[in-house]
Amino acid sequence: MASVMEASNASTTSSPATIRATIASTSGGNLSGVLGNISFFSVFFTLFALAVAYDQIQYWRLKGPLAGQPFKIPFLGPFHESVKPSFAKYYAKWLSGSLSCVSVFHKFVIIASTRDMARKVFNSPAYVKPCVVDVAHKLLRPENWVFLDGKEHVEYRKGLNGLFTRQALETYLPGQQEVYREYFDEFLLMTQEKNGKPQPFVYMLRELMCAVSCRTFVGHYMSREGVKRIADDYYNITAAMELVNFPIIIPFTKTWYGKKAADKVIEAFANCAAKARVRMRKPGAEPECILDRWLEHMIQSDRYRERVAKGEEIPSDEKPAMLLRNFSDFEISMTIFTFLFASQDATSSACSWMLQLLADRPEMLEKVRDEAKSIRADPSKDVTLDMLENMPWTRACVKETLRYRPPVIMVPYLVKKDFYIAEGNYTAKKGSMIIPSTWLSLHDPEAYPSPDTFDPERWMSGTAEEQGKNWLVFGTGPHYCLGQTYATLNLMCFLHMLASELEWEHEITPTSEEIRVFATIFPQDDLRLSFSRRNEVAVSA
């Protein structure tokens, strides 16, 4: 048998050289075949699968014990839900756990829902700092004071505290009332043009609150037309400040339009600062707005330092309460811009809900009018700070609106170093976003019985005023809202004047009570109202 095989081999292969050539030929053909079968698409899909796996593993690693979806949509996460945010989905997320999470694009987001978890974040400046949203640094500028940290932030803030004293707040009132009366006439005209039929008023209230803020912040350095342009531009800025937007600025996207609008607003405020700097150096110039008062403090500080440099002995009572450095027009502009950002959307939201809630509860509105008449019988007279401080029912309606429909439902922070949260046995990693929510603390049945009922009386005879730990409307900790007293008094002045001078009717629709999230929260149907002059006011006029 062996001889047969040998014979066969001898007959089919003539020499060793031929054998080697045949092997080489066969091996080369197999390699070419293998390489030929490896296409660009197979490489791409292999790499894509590896990237998807890595993205999912990273999500699991960061998620740990937190409540949240077990699987992440590759790379995007629930981005489609963020384009049109749903309050119901936010609410479900808050109820899912005291700490929960979501991952969108490259950003891992931790939500702190309960009062104690929210306060933990607010009061941990060593580990977190305000970031608003990813695009905020590009719109507000990275050197803006709201992004400063530690001693630098504290020193900056000290200089701003003097802009919100009782004395300062009283000087802003005349300008605010002037704007309110201008817009009350606009409300009447709009209603007349629609033959008395209700129409959406959310956007007009946004413009009104922008105008009031601008008058308070920069006075008459900006024209009515300039204010109108800023109000229009600010809509684009707000749209760009949504919690989740495309992470880079691409032409003709929301963030692109927002950046262009922000640039124009900052330039406009810088021009106002330059004008105010000239005016406030003139003898006898009195501050009429926040810009004036801030520059007055700077000028006083400069003059004090000049006297010290000359060797004068200056009595202690002539030393400014706070020595400030001389801020540039650009720094002032960025700061005023953040004031507008903080006030515009929040007060627009609050006054929208307040008008709806009181129109739907006429007995409560009538109590506002009774209180107004007892304090300021003649609606043509100016409102003073003393008057506002003696309106407990009006104040209760404002505070209950802020509790019942808090304008700011979330406050984004950036984790600047690994942050261990013992209460949740979880470490938030550096670079994550962590967002304390205010809603559950303000709807806590232990602090506010029947929390889903609008009840101003709780601020009069109940224990609501004692629930300081739950009152997170303006935040807490080192970054609490500087203008909280201003905001409350501003809303009180608006409600008092409007109730004294105008009647308004609210058209209830199936979506009136539903919440639309647009940076802050608004009625889903955009608040359909109509206005008329009160008869007794018309007679007295």
Side-chain angles (χ1 to χ4, degrees), residues 248-284:
I248 58 175
I249 295 179
I250 297 175
F252 309 112
T253 60
K254 288 180 182 180
T255 50
W256 184 78
Y257 285 116
K259 178 65 166 62
K260 287 173 68 69
D263 291 344
K264 288 192 289 184
V265 172
I266 287 178
E267 182 181 2
F269 284 148
N271 290 335
C272 291
K275 295 174 187 176
R277 196 180 294 275
V278 172
R279 175 180 172 270
M280 290 307 296
R281 287 191 176 276
K282 293 179 179 178

Side-chain angles (χ1 to χ4, degrees), residues 116-385:
D116 292 339
M117 283 298 185
R119 291 182 65 86
K120 175 85 173 180
V121 176
F122 282 132
N123 289 299
S124 299
Y127 294 94
V128 299
K129 64 178 182 179
C131 66
V132 190
V133 292
D134 271 0
V135 78
H137 285 75
K138 298 182 178 71
L139 270 61
L140 302 178
R141 303 297 192 277
E143 62 270 37
N144 199 300
W145 79 282
V146 295
F147 302 126
L148 298 180
D149 211 7
K151 183 179 179 181
E152 194 176 8
H153 175 265
V154 171
E155 290 302 316
Y156 209 121
R157 193 179 181 94
K158 282 181 181 178
L160 299 175
N161 283 332
L163 308 179
F164 297 97
T165 62
R166 188 182 189 283
Q167 179 187 9
L169 293 173
E170 189 147 32
T171 63
Y172 309 147
L173 275 173
Q176 293 167 9
Q177 293 171 68
E178 182 182 335
V179 174
Y180 282 135
R181 289 195 172 101
E182 288 177 10
Y183 275 85
F184 290 172
D185 290 340
E186 290 280 341
F187 292 176
L188 294 171
L189 182 60
M190 287 175 64
T191 301
Q192 289 171 11
E193 289 175 349
K194 291 288 186 178
N195 297 317
K197 294 180 180 178
Q199 59 187 296
F201 258 86
V202 158
Y203 300 99
M204 178 52 71
L205 291 173
R206 284 179 60 86
E207 182 182 322
L208 164 61
M209 287 302 162
C210 183
V212 170
S213 296
C214 285
R215 181 60 59 84
T216 303
F217 302 153
V218 299
H220 287 92
Y221 299 115
M222 183 175 289
S223 66
R224 172 76 183 270
E225 293 73 21
V227 170
K228 179 69 168 67
R229 284 194 298 272
I230 284 186
D232 292 340
D233 287 338
Y234 225 85
Y235 187 87
N236 288 329
I237 296 170
T238 300
M241 290 285 197
E242 289 175 348
L243 182 59
V244 177
N245 246 320
F246 204 71
I248 58 175
I249 295 179
I250 297 175
F252 309 112
T253 60
K254 288 180 182 180
T255 50
W256 184 78
Y257 285 116
K259 178 65 166 62
K260 287 173 68 69
D263 291 344
K264 288 192 289 184
V265 172
I266 287 178
E267 182 181 2
F269 284 148
N271 290 335
C272 291
K275 295 174 187 176
R277 196 180 294 275
V278 172
R279 175 180 172 270
M280 290 307 296
R281 287 191 176 276
K282 293 179 179 178
E286 293 292 332
E288 297 177 355
C289 60
I290 280 178
L291 183 53
D292 285 344
R293 191 165 291 275
W294 195 13
L295 282 164
E296 181 184 51
H297 293 170
M298 292 182 215
I299 292 168
Q300 290 172 349
S301 298
D302 284 346
R303 288 173 179 165
Y304 175 81
R305 282 189 286 264
E306 288 170 5
R307 293 174 66 187
V308 170
K310 291 177 181 178
E312 288 187 40
E313 291 187 11
I314 305 170
S316 59
D317 61 344
E318 293 183 23
K319 181 180 179 180
M322 177 60 61
L323 280 174
L324 305 183
R325 68 177 176 85
N326 204 326
F327 293 89
S328 69
D329 291 347
F330 180 66
E331 288 176 312
I332 294 171
S333 176
M334 287 193 298
T335 304
I336 297 295
F337 185 27
T338 58
F339 285 172
L340 184 61
F341 175 68
S343 68
Q344 154 70 14
D345 290 306
T347 51
S348 300
S349 168
C351 71
S352 296
W353 287 109
M354 188 165 63
L355 295 195
Q356 173 169 306
L357 291 165
L358 291 175
D360 294 348
R361 297 161 178 79
E363 72 286 355
M364 294 183 182
L365 179 55
E366 196 56 38
K367 290 180 70 172
V368 173
R369 290 194 168 113
D370 290 342
E371 183 175 76
K373 194 169 183 179
S374 68
I375 291 174
R376 192 177 64 113
D378 183 355
S380 65
K381 288 186 177 180
D382 286 343
V383 181
T384 66
L385 195 54

Side-chain angles (χ1 to χ4, degrees), residues 24-38:
S25 173
T26 303
S27 300
N30 289 340
L31 181 60
S32 298
V34 170
L35 291 175
N37 288 329
I38 300 176

